[in-house]
Amino acid sequence: MHKPAGILVSGNSFKTITNALVRNIKRSTLPDATKPQPVHRLDFGTTGVLLVGKTSSSIRALNKLFEDKDIKKTYYATAIGEMDSEGEITTNIDGKASKSNYTLCKTVLSKRFGTLNLLRLEPQTGRRHQLRKHLSHIDHPILGDKVYGVEPLILNGKGLYLHAYSLQFTHPFTHEQLFLKEELPERFKKIFDSL
């Protein structure tokens, strides 16, 4: 499913993706059908592909695929500042090793930010706020990141420019190769107008 920006995936709040799924996704007809629920998390401000399970066995199987790193995740972000054409970021996050790879797809000049870059990001581990922390760590914060951004470069009111573009994995029951993707939001296209 598509996750819009500004909504929590789960938690104590009434307005969450988890609460909305029951009313917006058709219940499975399989014997182990359960309340639909997300099998991974995206930050409050992140848009894009969110994987949902509708049976107890599918939720367990999909969680195991994430745990075993058998799901390839691809994100796009708009990062600030001049960057190398590609790179690998490895730092500890919350005391655990973490790794993300990036590829520079397009660069535009900006009066306010100097340089804005469209990055393709492939996290190799799944730490909380990993991509945001990694890019901030190398001094190229994500546009709109109020938590890990640099004070004079904070963009207010436009949201976080981080998009969960695709998930690629083998279906745990049919063994079909799946490639689920959600095109970039319009606000990315406005910055990088030839997308």
Side-chain angles (χ1 to χ4, degrees), residues 169-188:
F169 60 100
T170 302
H171 191 289
F173 304 119
T174 67
H175 305 293
E176 177 187 359
Q177 293 297 311
L178 296 176
F179 181 71
L180 310 175
K181 73 174 184 173
E182 175 75 29
E183 292 302 329
L184 287 173
E186 281 302 314
R187 60 201 181 108
F188 279 77

Side-chain angles (χ1 to χ4, degrees), residues 3 11 71 106 129:
K3 180 202 170 291
I71 295 182
K106 187 164 184 175
H129 295 176

Side-chain angles (χ1 to χ4, degrees), residues 122-163:
E122 294 177 346
Q124 305 302 304
T125 51
R127 311 291 176 226
R128 186 171 186 264
H129 295 176
Q130 176 175 315
L131 297 173
R132 296 167 64 191
K133 286 179 177 179
H134 273 171
L135 288 168
S136 180
H137 177 78
I138 62 167
D139 298 322
H140 297 291
I142 295 174
L143 186 65
D145 195 334
K146 294 180 181 179
V147 177
Y148 303 105
V150 180
E151 187 54 51
L153 299 179
I154 300 287
L155 179 69
N156 289 313
K158 300 289 186 186
L160 179 68
Y161 280 73
L162 179 61
H163 180 70

Side-chain angles (χ1 to χ4, degrees), residues 68-82:
D68 294 345
K69 299 179 182 60
D70 288 332
I71 295 182
K72 181 182 177 188
K73 299 177 282 186
T74 303
Y75 292 75
Y76 279 90
T78 300
I80 300 170
E82 289 185 35

Side-chain angles (χ1 to χ4, degrees), residues 6-165:
I7 298 179
L8 292 168
V9 171
S10 60
N12 294 330
S13 173
F14 173 74
K15 187 179 176 183
T16 65
I17 297 289
T18 301
N19 288 338
L21 288 174
V22 177
R23 294 181 299 283
N24 292 290
I25 290 187
K26 189 175 177 183
R27 188 173 171 89
S28 171
T29 57
L30 294 173
D32 68 337
T34 188
K35 187 169 82 171
Q37 62 181 316
V39 292
H40 65 122
R41 292 179 183 256
L42 295 176
D43 291 344
F44 177 78
T46 303
T47 57
V49 177
L50 183 68
L51 197 55
V52 172
K54 300 198 297 183
T55 64
S56 297
S57 56
S58 70
I59 290 166
R60 277 193 307 273
L62 292 169
N63 278 327
K64 179 123 176 65
L65 288 176
F66 275 106
E67 192 179 304
D68 294 345
K69 299 179 182 60
D70 288 332
I71 295 182
K72 181 182 177 188
K73 299 177 282 186
T74 303
Y75 292 75
Y76 279 90
T78 300
I80 300 170
E82 289 185 35
M83 298 183 72
D84 294 335
S85 61
E86 59 185 30
E88 176 181 284
I89 308 165
T90 54
T91 61
N92 280 0
I93 294 177
D94 301 325
K96 296 177 181 175
S98 62
K99 179 179 169 184
S100 301
N101 298 325
Y102 76 84
T103 304
L104 178 62
C105 301
K106 187 164 184 175
T107 297
V108 295
L109 297 178
S110 163
K111 284 182 184 174
R112 180 169 175 194
F113 301 105
T115 304
L116 292 174
N117 309 287
L118 179 65
L119 301 181
R120 178 184 173 96
L121 300 159
E122 294 177 346
Q124 305 302 304
T125 51
R127 311 291 176 226
R128 186 171 186 264
H129 295 176
Q130 176 175 315
L131 297 173
R132 296 167 64 191
K133 286 179 177 179
H134 273 171
L135 288 168
S136 180
H137 177 78
I138 62 167
D139 298 322
H140 297 291
I142 295 174
L143 186 65
D145 195 334
K146 294 180 181 179
V147 177
Y148 303 105
V150 180
E151 187 54 51
L153 299 179
I154 300 287
L155 179 69
N156 289 313
K158 300 289 186 186
L160 179 68
Y161 280 73
L162 179 61
H163 180 70
Y165 176 73

